[in-house]
Amino acid sequence: DALRHAFAIPDYPYASRLVVDNWRQIYHQGRLNTAVQWLDSLPPDFVRQSPPLGVAYCWTLFARGDYDRIEIYLDEIARTFEQMVAAGKLPKEHPEYNIVLQQVILLRTVVMRHHGDVANALKEIEQLLPTIEELRQTFGPVVADMGYTACYSQMGYTYVAANDLERAADYLSRVSPHARRCGNILALAHTTIELARISLLLGRLEQAETICRDEL
C-alpha cells in the first residue's frame, strides 16, 4: 500500500527505499511479478544509481532466464557501489548494501555458467563461501542463511552444468535448512525439484520420492 501511494505521488526516492527494504522478502515468497512491477515502476536512473536495486533487478532477470541482460548491469552496479564508498554515502548499517559485492560475484557466476565457463564459476563461489560467516557476526543468522542458500544453490546448479551430479546433489541437499530459516521459499522449491530430478537421473527413485514428500 505504501508503495502504491509513493508511485502515485510520485515520490521515487521514498519508493526506492521501500523497494530496497522489501523486495527480497517478496522475491523469496515467489511473488516475482510483484518484484518486477515494483522495479519497473521506478525510473531506470533510480535502479542504476542504487546497487541494491540493480542487484534486485538482476535476480528477477535470473528467475526469468534472461542471463544476457544480467551481464550488462553488473559492471555498472560495481562501479556505482565503489563511487558510494569513496563518497562516504554507503549506509553501512543496512544489510542490502553490505552484501552487494557478494551478490555481484554470484550473479557473475550465473553469467559464467550460462556461457559454459563452469570451472571459473565454481572457483568464484568457493571463494565466496568463507565470507558468509562474517555476515552472521554483523547482521545475524538470517542474513547468513540467505547467503548460504544462494551460494549452495548456485554451487549445485553449476555442478549440474559440469555434469557432476553427485556433487550437485551434495550442495543442493544443504539448501533446505538455510532456505527455511530465512524464508526463501522460491529457492527451496527450485532446489527440491532439481535434487529430486538428479536422484531420478542417478536411478534413486525412492530417494527422489522421499525428497518430494519431505518438502510437501
Side-chain angles (χ1 to χ4, degrees), residues 28-57:
H28 286 177
Q29 291 171 359
R31 296 166 62 186
L32 179 62
N33 288 339
T34 300
V36 170
Q37 182 183 22
W38 287 358
L39 290 160
D40 284 346
S41 296
L42 290 167
D45 284 348
F46 277 81
V47 177
R48 293 194 196 97
Q49 292 166 10
S50 169
L53 289 178
V55 163
Y57 193 70

Side-chain angles (χ1 to χ4, degrees), residues 11 32 87 104 134 139 162 182 195 200 214:
D11 186 343
L32 179 62
V104 167
E134 298 171 10
F139 296 105
C182 69
L195 194 54
L200 287 174
D214 286 350

Side-chain angles (χ1 to χ4, degrees), residues 76-116:
E76 191 164 8
I77 291 170
R79 186 165 54 251
T80 303
F81 184 81
E82 290 169 2
Q83 290 170 352
M84 290 179 70
V85 171
K89 295 181 179 179
L90 191 68
K92 295 181 180 179
E93 73 285 351
H94 200 303
E96 286 294 336
Y97 287 88
N98 283 270
I99 61 174
V100 163
L101 295 181
Q102 285 96 334
Q103 298 292 296
V104 167
I105 291 170
L106 272 178
L107 287 161
R108 286 197 193 283
T109 67
V110 169
V111 175
M112 288 177 189
R113 185 171 72 239
H114 177 62
H115 291 316

Side-chain angles (χ1 to χ4, degrees), residues 127-148:
Q127 292 176 347
L128 185 60
L129 275 168
T131 70
I132 303 301
E133 199 56 36
E134 298 171 10
L135 295 172
R136 184 189 303 276
Q137 308 304 322
T138 308
F139 296 105
V142 173
V143 174
D145 282 323
M146 282 166 39
Y148 283 122

